[in-house]
Amino acid sequence: MREMLSYLAAALPAQTSAPARLLALQCALRSTAAGKVSIPTGLVRGMRLGRGATALDELQEVQWLHTTAPPQPGSEGFTAQLLDAALRTQAPAQGDRARAADWSIRTCRVKTLHQLGPLPRLLALALAAHSPAGTSEEESSADQAHLARMCGLAPQSLLHTLALLAHTHFLQSWAHNLTHEEVRWKLALPKQPPRAQTSPPPHGPPTTPRLEPQPSHWPSSG
């Protein structure tokens, strides 16, 4: 999941909105090896993106995808072709990507994020994806600029959004290291089983070393 978020940070323009990034994430994780994807109405509405068509239009305008069957009146579902060759040429395990797509949806639906908009939910997803295995007592860290780029945020806006996530108790604590321009945090979610890994596209900005296990606080698969 970290690698897919990093890929989207590189593939999408910096000004891409949080709803468009969340929708792009689902498209990337649910696409076939040929880059075809079908997103049902229920999924779009369940993601609470505001106007789903606006996020879809945004991804089309930057030529990241092209809808082959656009939403019809009364429906928000669509079929599309992803246009990034780096993503289309991948041959990942579809089961792994499907599980990652499901995990990301369930993570964004946890109680502490329920009243929040797409931007804090996107940051919460990035923080969860960067958190190591273990209990919620374990502290995680990431480069401030890297996290901000993943979410299309200015560095100062990132700090404000972290404070919001702490206020809603998604985060147990967080701190900003001015010397190293690093953010550290502890999640406040209960222990859960591990997640599946996904195969990321081959390009994108450098990331911190990959952590194989799923954070113990990810939502249970049931």
Side-chain angles (χ1 to χ4, degrees):
M1 181 62 68
R2 281 173 51 184
E3 291 81 0
M4 188 61 75
L5 289 168
S6 293
Y7 155 72
L8 291 172
L12 298 174
Q15 68 273 19
T16 303
S17 70
R21 290 177 187 274
L22 287 169
L23 183 59
L25 178 64
Q26 290 301 312
C27 289
L29 292 173
R30 295 173 187 274
S31 65
T32 66
K36 299 182 184 300
V37 64
S38 181
I39 302 294
T41 294
L43 177 61
V44 177
R45 291 177 178 171
M47 291 174 70
R48 298 184 292 120
L49 301 177
R51 292 187 58 207
T54 301
L56 179 60
D57 289 344
E58 193 173 342
L59 294 176
Q60 290 197 97
E61 288 173 4
V62 300
Q63 299 182 350
W64 188 76
L65 59 69
H66 170 71
T67 53
T68 53
Q72 300 300 308
S75 170
E76 296 181 59
F78 63 89
T79 300
Q81 173 68 51
L82 307 189
L83 302 177
D84 189 344
L87 184 61
R88 296 202 314 272
T89 55
Q90 294 303 294
Q94 291 298 115
D96 287 350
R97 284 203 179 189
R99 285 188 289 272
D102 180 63
W103 172 81
S104 67
I105 291 292
R106 288 183 286 117
T107 296
C108 289
R109 288 178 177 171
V110 297
K111 184 177 180 180
T112 50
L113 302 178
H114 186 68
Q115 300 299 324
L116 301 182
L119 180 54
R121 282 187 276 125
L122 176 59
L123 178 56
L125 184 63
L127 295 174
H130 277 76
S131 297
T135 69
S136 59
E137 293 300 315
E138 293 191 32
E139 190 174 62
S140 307
S141 65
D143 178 74
Q144 178 184 352
H146 180 57
L147 274 179
R149 184 168 59 246
M150 279 186 173
C151 302
L153 280 166
Q156 191 59 40
S157 296
L158 173 68
L159 301 182
H160 291 158
T161 309
L162 285 166
L164 175 61
L165 292 175
H167 179 73
T168 62
H169 304 295
F170 179 81
L171 295 181
Q172 178 179 325
S173 63
W174 71 278
H176 178 214
N177 187 318
L178 290 171
T179 303
H180 297 94
E181 290 300 321
E182 179 184 68
V183 174
R184 306 188 70 85
W185 69 90
K186 290 182 183 179
L187 295 179
L189 298 179
K191 184 176 181 180
Q192 296 293 345
R195 69 177 169 95
Q197 294 297 311
T198 61
S199 300
H203 74 271
T207 64
T208 51
R210 180 171 180 164
L211 298 170
E212 291 295 336
Q214 171 181 338
S216 59
H217 38 262
W218 289 5
S220 170
S221 58

